[in-house]
Amino acid sequence: MSWLPKSPKARRRLWVVAAVAPVLALAVGLSLYAMRDSVTFFFSPSEATPENAPAGRVVRLGGLVETGSVVRDGSGQVAFAVTDNVATTRVVYQGDLPDLFAEGEGVVAQGAFLPDRSFRATQVLAKHDETYMPREVADRLKAKGEWRPVDSSPATP
């Protein structure tokens, strides 16, 4: 007894499927391999370990700008610390910061860790109004028990 169907039409379909399946699998595999560099992972300072975020890999680092940590020099370079109230990471950024960048506020920096575990940012994103914090940052702060949302309900007389 053969495992092939008896009908010539069904046998032809089986051979077509058997020929197309590996080609399709190869195409999907190559597509996923090509997109691996375009994926940017998000970490909070306490999650950004050398195993999770190795030096040189582009990632996003989010948290709160530590109060008193912003240092600007004359060449336009800004250094500040990002914290999730568990760990702190030093961030260095060359360029203009967003107008809404402030100490104690939420920030997401995109860049890469250097071998000394400081973070070289290529882009810095700040909140856009007084009640917004990036979702990833808010989720990480909630998980750590540090989330203090602003009460947006109107006061009743």
Side-chain angles (χ1 to χ4, degrees), residues 99-120:
D99 291 337
L100 297 172
F101 178 87
E103 294 178 353
E105 300 295 336
V107 67
V108 174
Q110 182 169 322
F113 281 96
L114 301 176
D116 67 354
R117 297 310 292 166
S118 63
F119 190 80
R120 169 68 65 178

Side-chain angles (χ1 to χ4, degrees), residues 43-60:
F43 296 102
S44 66
S46 61
E47 296 169 337
T49 62
E51 296 80 33
N52 290 340
R57 184 171 183 196
V58 175
V59 297
R60 288 187 177 154

Side-chain angles (χ1 to χ4, degrees), residues 3 7 13 17 24 26 29 39 44 81 93 114 117 126 130-131 135 140 143 153:
W3 56 272
S7 163
R13 266 192 231 132
V17 168
L24 184 61
L26 181 66
V39 173
S44 66
Y93 176 68
L114 301 176
R117 297 310 292 166
E130 70 276 357
T131 60
R135 186 184 76 231
R140 296 306 197 286
S153 60

Side-chain angles (χ1 to χ4, degrees), residues 32 54 56 104 134:
L32 292 174

